[in-house]
Amino acid sequence: MNEENGDRGEAQPSDAEPQSAGEAAVRDARRWLSRRSVLIAGASGLAVSGLAVGTATGQLPFSPALQRALGVASSNPTTQLGSTRVERVYSQARGRMVDLVFILPSKTPPKGLPMSLMLHGLHGNARSAAPTGTLKQLSSDVARKAVPAFGFVAVDGGDNYWHEVHPGDDPMAMLLEEVPQWLRARGFGGDTGQPFACTGVSMGGFGALVYTRRRVERRQPPAAVATLAPALILSWPEMAKRHIFTGLNDWTALDPLKHIDETKSVANAIYCGTEDPFITGVRRYIDAAHPAVAHTAHGKHGDPFNRTVVPSVISFLGKHVPRKD
């Protein structure tokens, strides 16, 4: 409630009886207390709303000073939240405008900040690509020097398993050709703008492994790939239900399980809940690829499991951040 509306609701003194100075002072004091109560209540409500938003996004919508005043943040640098930036850009490869989302360890990241791709899952988008807690974990780990500074970049890829399903809409070409240009133009990713790693969730995990293979084929391999419950499906009839591939041959040409040898040179981490429908495919991948990190634990498909492995993902990627000469 603003002060103008608050004034409108207050009782006005009667014009019939003049007030003494004492009565006027009492009236003013009551009015000040009333407004103070409204402001405190409003701040309390704002804090509750802001905490709800912060829990969902990993970023509180208040200044650091207000966060400290409300008791939801410390002045300790290791607890300061990082920064999320969202832009709209035109993708020639996809033939449309897309969201470009940056998850950064601080509000003033260093020039040339190394970046990892973050690929979203089926029916997702760039804004929802990262598991809950990614921003907070990243900024905290970087601030206390547990990992070198790096960030994530996410972009809208549609529901195409990160390949060209419909002519003129090629999300893999967007990742390979356009994302480095976008990063370089904004001072990220070093001189080339090339992401040093790729991270993906569910369908994005499938896409991350395909992306890694394409980079290897170009003799520009990423340093690392991390996947969370990647959509590694074992049968064509099951995959065909998604209406993503034109046929068995189209799927076979991309299926990461059938191209494990091509990406063995890239450091690999994979995570999956044991109650996840993709666990069988993940276990088969682990047996064949022998990734550096192979984590399975109780959990179903989705954010409740994914958020539990965020610290490990950040730590793993941090070991492969390119070092400055």
Side-chain angles (χ1 to χ4, degrees):
M1 180 183 294
N2 59 37
E3 290 193 353
E4 179 181 351
N5 291 335
D7 287 343
R8 196 173 294 156
E10 292 175 1
Q12 301 298 318
S14 169
D15 294 332
E17 295 184 30
Q19 292 184 314
S20 68
E23 288 173 331
V26 170
R27 181 201 67 203
D28 291 340
R30 286 175 175 169
R31 179 177 295 178
W32 180 85
L33 287 172
S34 175
R35 286 182 179 172
R36 185 171 183 273
S37 299
V38 169
L39 289 172
I40 291 173
S44 177
L46 177 62
V48 171
S49 300
L51 284 172
V53 172
T55 300
T57 65
Q59 184 172 11
L60 294 177
F62 312 132
S63 69
L66 183 54
Q67 290 176 35
R68 291 193 293 273
L70 294 172
V72 297
S74 163
S75 58
N76 188 327
T78 63
T79 64
Q80 294 297 317
L81 297 177
S83 172
T84 299
R85 302 179 189 173
V86 182
E87 296 183 34
R88 293 285 288 174
V89 295
Y90 182 77
S91 168
Q92 187 70 38
R94 294 207 62 209
R96 68 192 67 199
M97 298 293 293
V98 296
D99 276 346
L100 186 64
V101 177
F102 300 95
I103 300 173
L104 305 172
S106 67
K107 292 180 174 60
T108 55
K111 183 175 176 58
L113 181 73
M115 301 291 284
S116 172
L117 285 173
M118 175 67 78
L119 306 186
H120 64 75
L122 191 66
H123 307 312
N125 54 53
R127 294 173 186 249
S128 64
T132 298
T134 298
L135 177 65
K136 183 177 180 181
Q137 188 71 44
L138 174 66
S139 58
S140 174
D141 284 0
V142 170
R144 60 190 180 86
K145 301 188 185 304
V147 297
F150 72 95
F152 292 98
V153 58
V155 65
D156 295 334
D159 294 333
N160 306 325
Y161 273 64
W162 296 94
H163 82 296
E164 188 175 22
V165 177
H166 308 289
D169 184 1
D170 191 344
M172 186 56 63
M174 174 182 65
L175 298 180
L176 293 168
E177 304 293 345
E178 295 180 306
V179 167
Q181 297 176 33
W182 295 334
L183 289 177
R184 186 173 61 249
R186 290 157 179 79
F188 298 129
D191 293 338
T192 66
Q194 197 74 260
F196 80 94
C198 188
T199 313
V201 177
S202 191
M203 179 192 78
F206 182 105
L209 292 170
V210 175
Y211 171 82
T212 299
R213 180 179 156 208
R214 296 296 182 235
R215 288 275 302 270
V216 170
E217 291 169 350
R218 291 174 169 223
R219 299 185 181 181
Q220 299 174 332
V225 57
T227 58
L228 287 66
L232 301 176
I233 294 173
L234 299 180
S235 74
W236 168 242
E238 182 61 31
M239 180 57 87
K241 295 176 183 178
R242 288 158 172 77
H243 305 289
I244 297 297
F245 299 94
T246 58
L248 176 61
N249 291 338
D250 188 30
W251 172 54
T252 300
L254 290 177
D255 182 13
L257 284 170
K258 295 176 176 61
H259 299 276
I260 290 176
D261 288 344
E262 287 93 319
T263 58
K264 275 189 173 180
S265 62
V266 177
N268 193 337
I270 191 167
Y271 306 83
C272 193
T274 52
E275 285 68 51
D276 192 298
F278 298 139
I279 186 62
T280 303
V282 166
R283 283 173 171 155
R284 185 170 296 185
Y285 186 91
I286 290 171
D287 289 343
H290 306 293
V293 177
H295 174 84
T296 61
H298 176 73
K300 298 180 180 180
H301 193 75
D303 193 63
F305 172 82
N306 293 339
R307 71 179 68 180
T308 67
V309 302
V310 166
S312 177
V313 172
I314 301 297
S315 176
F316 168 75
L317 294 175
K319 292 179 174 66
H320 300 280
V321 173
R323 305 287 177 170
K324 293 183 178 180
D325 295 333

